[in-house]
Structure formats: structure tokens, C-alpha cells
Amino acid sequence: MDARDTELKKELNATLQARRELGEEYESALVDSFLEKVDQRIDGAVERRVRRQYAEQQMVSARDGRSAGATDSWGERFGFGIVSLVLAVPLSAIGAGVAHLPGLIVTWMGIVGINVVQAARINPALFGRRPKSSRGGDWEG
């Protein structure tokens, strides 16, 4: 038995004892008083449950509200930039060696294109697109 149930049982016993001592004329007042205590207990339990569910819903909507790229860490973005620059050196040499200036331009267009796509994936609002949101339902106003 829960401690709160024990406390409620004590309240009921005290109410019944008071009814025996005071008589039937105070019965409705005693019952109303006991029911008010039960009501307060129920209201408190419901309020705690609603708060907990609301907090859980906020956590879920906060997770769902982020785009897939928003979960990337700063380290992943930094690493992508570093790898991009490191690979740019040999790719530039190969492109310039094979096709001279046009090869170098095509190589750098590819490098810039890949970085633009990565930036757009991480931050869709950067290029005027709205992030995808899977939220929706009855709670939004």
C-alpha cells in the first residue's frame, strides 16, 4: 500500500470517528470535507501526470523539429571542411595536370558544389528552404 493511500485511509477513519462523535447532523459537512481532500489529491496527481506528459511531448517535438542535419556535431562539420581542403590539393594537381586551367576550374567547381550541398543539408534555411518538420497534430495552435 502506498504511503499516500495510508494517509487517505487515516483521513477516512478520522472522518468516520468524528461522525460517530458529532452525530448525523454534521455528516454532510464531514463527507464534503473528506471528498474535498480526495479531490485535492486527485487534482495533484492529474496535474503531475499532465506536466510530465507535456514535458515528454516537448522533448519529442524538440527532437522532431530539428532537421536530420541539425544533429550533426560541430566536429563533423569541421572534419568535413578539413577533409574537403586536404583532398582539394591532390585533386587540383590532377585536374590541372590533365586538362590545365579548365581541369582546375572543373575540379574546384566540384569541390565547391559538394560543400554547398553539405551546407544545405546541415542548414536548409541558409538557401531559403524551410526545414522539414514532422510535427503536427492537435497541440499546435
Side-chain angles (χ1 to χ4, degrees):
M1 191 180 280
D2 194 354
R4 289 178 284 181
D5 292 339
T6 305
E7 185 179 318
L8 193 59
K9 188 173 182 179
K10 287 179 183 177
E11 289 285 339
L12 178 61
N13 287 336
T15 301
L16 291 173
Q17 184 64 31
R19 191 253 183 224
R20 284 187 207 110
E21 292 175 6
L22 297 174
E24 287 185 25
E25 60 237 18
Y26 292 101
E27 182 174 344
S28 66
L30 291 170
V31 169
D32 287 343
S33 172
F34 178 74
L35 289 178
E36 187 174 320
K37 291 175 185 175
V38 171
D39 247 0
Q40 289 172 354
R41 175 87 36 89
I42 291 171
D43 287 345
V46 168
E47 186 177 337
R48 283 189 301 276
R49 183 173 293 161
V50 167
R51 269 196 239 137
R52 184 176 61 241
Q53 287 177 347
Y54 181 68
E56 288 172 0
Q57 180 191 10
Q58 282 184 323
M59 288 175 55
V60 167
S61 67
R63 281 188 213 124
D64 290 345
R66 289 184 281 188
S67 65
T71 59
D72 291 341
S73 70
W74 182 85
E76 288 180 77
R77 293 189 308 251
F78 184 72
F80 187 83
I82 294 294
V83 167
S84 177
L85 289 174
V86 166
L87 291 177
V89 173
L91 290 175
S92 296
I94 293 169
V98 172
H100 304 290
L101 184 60
L104 183 64
I105 291 172
V106 169
T107 301
W108 274 97
M109 285 174 50
I111 292 168
V112 169
I114 288 172
N115 282 284
V116 166
V117 169
Q118 174 70 5
R121 186 183 74 82
I122 290 173
N123 189 1
L126 187 65
F127 297 101
R129 292 188 348 221
R130 298 188 78 186
K132 294 178 185 176
S133 176
S134 61
R135 289 186 299 168
D138 300 335
W139 294 99
E140 292 184 340

